[in-house]
């Protein structure tokens, strides 16, 4: 009997010891590491509802003195139970603060003429903890102390810096280490996001060397994906939507080989003529009114369109980027956002888009479709969506890209509904879902905020978009 009792005690002790080894302690949170970045006095922030948000710099390369600026919003309710969502804008050279945070999906939107902020009832922080980062260096408030960095910007450089940002940001906010992590964004972030996801995916396999990031998937809107299909779609959209003539369309088809990374002079001329025909309307939302605050057209002749500054105006208020610049260049606003940084006593000239980055950026990646194939096979959740009134990255070019992946079909092309109206179309493949948003341009959450909120809810929760009225 005594032997059995001793054996029982030993077994209990053994089981307790072994079981405890399967559980790790929750991260030790040092509030001082992030509370100093809390924003408490942002000018004209609405008093209600209460919004918990933080901003500051995260070092990404100590040797070169590179740091990326972030703005982070906790979820409106139960942040500890919500995933972490990183939002990136494209350009290259455009700010995720000026677009994603301040006019699209953030809880605080800039009011007209930069006079203040409005609460966004359709903010995506209803669904997730929202993290915005200005990337690459040279965009917005992000900076480098090594000027030569700005001459070598390209996709892999950006992915490495953004990866380092995430690792260091999660060290500062360790309570989000174990949260499901997703990436979202639009336009040239169609390059940034898959390449960042691939870098995380690969490094997660080596936990002895790299920090683990709990990446679950990504969603990209009106994304640049593959130069050939994107350019082919751009031309066909302009013709099919009565922007260019039959003669222009036929000529461009004859002189342009979009499979070449460098276009011929004849092709450049044909595409410049196409852009000139867009000069009086908004290429990013062809049915929206054009902004008249600036008399200088964003489309000029005799310029290779791939290296033009991208004017991302569109939606119900096509002049919003001017409002954002008014607001974020205010001394009191910068004092609040940068209060815990070395730049707090000096004014920064903040731009929604940095034109010099677009001119000097090294477009070294022709296609990210092979990355899609790799990450689909790796089990990541991947969605693509398109506003169907965007002439810059049109729906037809994105459909060509998706068809090129040759994925098995799960459910056929069909409408989805929002408020008893067709919200757009949806088609599901093995490993990828594609959604269109009817009547939206390049910036879907700006043009169709309620539909966009339904979209991200479906993506994050797995609840299907309604396909019946």
């Amino acid at each position: 009997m005594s032997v059995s009792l001793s054996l029982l005690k030993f077994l209990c002790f053994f089981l307790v010891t072994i079981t405890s080894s399967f559980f790790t302690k929750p991260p030790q949170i040092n509030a001082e590491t992030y509370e100093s970045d809390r924003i408490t006095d942002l000018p004209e922030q609405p008093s209600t509802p209460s919004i918990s948000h933080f901003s500051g710099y995260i070092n990404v390369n100590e040797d070169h003195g590179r740091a990326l600026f972030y703005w982070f919003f906790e979820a409106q309710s139960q942040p500890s139970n919500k995933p972490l969502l990183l939002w990136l804008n494209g350009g290259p050279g455009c700010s995720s603060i000026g677009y994603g945070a301040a006019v699209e999906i953030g809880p605080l939107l800039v009011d007209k003429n930069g006079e203040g902020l409005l609460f966004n009832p359709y903010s995506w922080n209803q669904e997730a903890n929202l993290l915005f980062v200005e990337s690459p260096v040279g965009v917005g408030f992000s900076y480098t102390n090594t000027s030569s960095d700005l001459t070598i910007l390209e996709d892999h450089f950006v992915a490495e810096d953004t990866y380092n940002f995430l690792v260091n940001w999660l060290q500062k906010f360790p309570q989000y280490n174990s949260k499901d992590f997703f990436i979202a964004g639009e336009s040239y972030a169609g390059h940034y996001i898959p390449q960042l996801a691939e870098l995380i995916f690969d490094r997660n396999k080596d936990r002895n060397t790299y920090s683990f990031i709990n990446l679950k998937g990504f969603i990209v809107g009106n994304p640049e994906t593959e130069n050939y299909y994107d350019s082919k779609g751009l031309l066909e959209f302009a013709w099919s939507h009565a922007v260019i003539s039959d003669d222009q369309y036929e000529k461009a088809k004859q002189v342009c080989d979009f499979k070449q990374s460098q276009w011929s002079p004849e092709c450049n001329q044909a595409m410049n003529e196409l852009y000139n025909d867009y000069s009086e309307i908004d290429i990013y939302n062809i049915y929206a009114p054009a902004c008249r605050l600036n008399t200088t057209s964003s489309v000029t002749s005799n310029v290779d369109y791939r290296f033009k500054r991208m004017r991302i105006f569109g939606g119900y208020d096509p002049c919003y980027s001017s409002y954002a610049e008014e607001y974020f260049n205010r001394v009191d606003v910068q004092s609040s956002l940068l209060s815990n940084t070395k730049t707090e006593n000096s004014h920064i000239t903040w731009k929604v888009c940095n034109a010099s980055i677009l001119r000097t950026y090294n477009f070294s990646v022709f296609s990210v479709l092979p990355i899609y194939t790799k990450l689909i096979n790796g089990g990541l959740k991947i969605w693509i969506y398109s506003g169907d009134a965007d002439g810059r990255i049109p729906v037809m070019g994105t459909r060509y890209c998706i068809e090129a992946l040759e994925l098995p079909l799960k459910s056929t092309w069909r409408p989805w509904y929002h408020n008893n109206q067709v919200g757009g179309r949806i088609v599901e493949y093995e490993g990828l879902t594609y959604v269109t948003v009817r009547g939206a341009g390049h910036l879907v959450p700006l043009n169709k905020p309620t539909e966009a909120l339904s979209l991200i809810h479906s993506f994050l929760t797995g609840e299907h978009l309604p396909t019946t009225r």
Side-chain angles (χ1 to χ4, degrees):
M1 187 72 175
S2 61
V3 174
S4 299
L5 183 59
S6 299
L7 180 60
L8 181 61
K9 289 180 178 179
F10 171 79
L11 288 174
C12 289
F13 173 79
F14 178 78
L15 287 173
V16 168
T17 303
I18 292 298
T19 303
S20 65
S21 69
F22 286 96
F23 298 91
T24 58
K25 293 181 180 180
Q28 298 299 306
I29 300 174
N30 180 4
E32 293 181 359
T33 63
Y34 64 88
E35 278 297 333
S36 59
D37 283 0
R38 182 180 291 277
I39 301 173
T40 58
D41 58 350
L42 190 62
E44 279 85 41
Q45 176 178 328
S47 57
T48 57
S50 176
I51 296 173
S52 176
H53 54 138
F54 306 78
S55 68
Y57 284 104
I58 299 294
N59 290 325
V60 296
N61 187 297
E62 294 284 355
D63 292 339
H64 283 216
R66 291 203 301 271
L68 299 183
F69 179 79
Y70 80 90
W71 196 2
F72 172 62
F73 298 88
E74 289 186 339
Q76 290 183 27
S77 63
Q78 299 181 315
S80 62
N81 295 328
K82 299 285 175 64
L84 176 64
L85 180 70
L86 171 69
W87 175 273
L88 299 172
N89 276 91
C94 293
S95 166
S96 68
I97 303 300
Y99 286 111
V103 302
E104 295 188 78
I105 67 170
L108 299 173
L109 304 182
V110 291
D111 197 0
K112 290 185 177 181
N113 301 314
E115 293 177 353
L117 298 170
L118 300 173
F119 176 69
N120 179 11
Y122 310 111
S123 173
W124 286 12
N125 81 326
Q126 295 180 48
E127 303 294 333
N129 299 283
L130 284 183
L131 177 59
F132 301 91
V133 58
E134 293 189 306
S135 174
V137 290
V139 173
F141 294 120
S142 295
Y143 69 88
T144 177
N145 292 329
T146 306
S147 59
S148 60
D149 286 343
L150 300 176
T151 68
I152 58 173
L153 294 177
E154 49 83 36
D155 286 3
H156 298 99
F157 182 107
V158 174
E160 185 69 36
D161 269 10
T162 311
Y163 176 86
N164 291 334
F165 166 87
L166 279 171
V167 170
N168 293 335
W169 187 90
L170 287 169
Q171 290 178 356
K172 191 168 196 173
F173 291 83
Q175 63 269 43
Y176 295 98
N177 264 317
S178 61
K179 302 298 178 192
D180 288 351
F181 175 64
F182 296 91
I183 317 173
E186 62 200 6
S187 192
Y188 199 77
H191 272 233
Y192 293 158
I193 291 171
Q195 292 179 88
L196 173 61
E198 181 184 35
L199 192 60
I200 296 171
F201 180 80
D202 288 343
R203 291 184 176 177
N204 275 350
K205 297 174 183 177
D206 184 2
R207 299 198 192 187
N208 292 326
T209 305
Y210 299 103
S211 300
F212 180 79
I213 298 174
N214 194 25
L215 177 66
K216 296 298 184 180
F218 64 84
I219 178 170
V220 288
N222 291 84
E224 290 199 46
T225 305
E226 218 255 27
N227 287 2
Y228 168 63
Y229 294 120
D230 291 340
S231 301
K232 175 179 167 68
L234 187 151
L235 175 61
E236 292 180 3
F237 184 92
W239 172 73
S240 63
H241 288 73
V243 176
I244 62 173
S245 69
D246 293 350
D247 288 343
Q248 285 176 280
Y249 178 56
E250 292 300 328
K251 179 182 177 181
K253 285 199 299 181
Q254 291 174 7
V255 300
C256 287
D257 181 359
F258 294 131
K259 293 183 179 180
Q260 300 299 317
S261 59
Q262 296 295 324
W263 293 353
S264 67
E266 294 79 12
C267 180
N268 275 323
Q269 181 179 351
M271 295 304 290
N272 286 330
E273 290 175 3
L274 177 152
Y275 266 71
N276 284 335
D277 284 337
Y278 270 117
S279 63
E280 291 296 317
I281 63 174
D282 183 358
I283 189 175
Y284 293 92
N285 189 338
I286 67 170
Y287 301 123
C291 180
R292 297 304 178 202
L293 289 183
N294 264 324
T295 58
T296 303
S297 171
S298 67
V299 180
T300 57
S301 59
N302 302 318
V303 180
D304 180 351
Y305 101 91
R306 294 201 318 124
F307 296 93
K308 284 181 182 174
R309 176 177 179 174
M310 299 171 70
R311 178 177 66 87
I312 311 181
F313 290 130
Y316 303 123
D317 187 352
C319 300
Y320 62 81
S321 64
S322 297
Y323 310 148
E325 289 188 357
E326 288 283 340
Y327 184 77
F328 290 110
N329 275 300
R330 286 172 47 172
V331 173
D332 56 348
V333 171
Q334 292 193 6
S335 177
S336 176
L337 291 174
L338 308 175
S339 62
N340 191 39
T341 73
K342 65 181 182 181
T343 59
E344 61 181 309
N345 295 319
S346 60
H347 182 266
I348 296 172
T349 300
W350 185 92
K351 292 284 188 181
V352 172
C353 292
N354 184 339
S356 64
I357 289 179
L358 184 59
R359 287 193 298 267
T360 61
Y361 196 87
N362 298 293
F363 293 91
S364 57
V365 177
F366 187 86
S367 173
V368 293
L369 289 179
I371 299 176
Y372 273 86
T373 298
K374 174 181 177 178
L375 297 182
I376 287 170
N377 291 335
L380 292 188
K381 184 175 188 177
I382 300 174
W383 280 33
I384 301 174
Y385 64 90
S386 294
D388 62 12
D390 178 22
R392 178 59 183 88
I393 310 293
V395 61
M396 54 186 60
T398 301
R399 291 177 73 176
Y400 284 140
C401 290
I402 294 171
E403 289 167 4
L405 293 171
E406 299 183 339
L407 299 170
L409 188 66
K410 283 180 62 178
S411 65
T412 58
W413 184 269
R414 64 201 187 281
W416 63 275
Y417 294 89
H418 183 77
N419 293 335
N420 292 318
Q421 298 290 330
V422 173
R425 312 288 171 173
I426 183 171
V427 59
E428 295 172 294
Y429 300 90
E430 295 290 345
L432 186 145
T433 296
Y434 181 51
V435 183
T436 70
V437 182
R438 187 167 67 97
H442 196 66
L443 279 67
V444 170
L446 171 68
N447 306 148
K448 298 289 184 178
T450 60
E451 288 89 338
L453 184 58
S454 295
L455 182 71
I456 195 62
H457 174 80
S458 178
F459 172 72
L460 292 175
T461 66
E463 296 180 16
H464 294 290
L465 288 168
T467 52
T468 58
R469 292 187 191 278

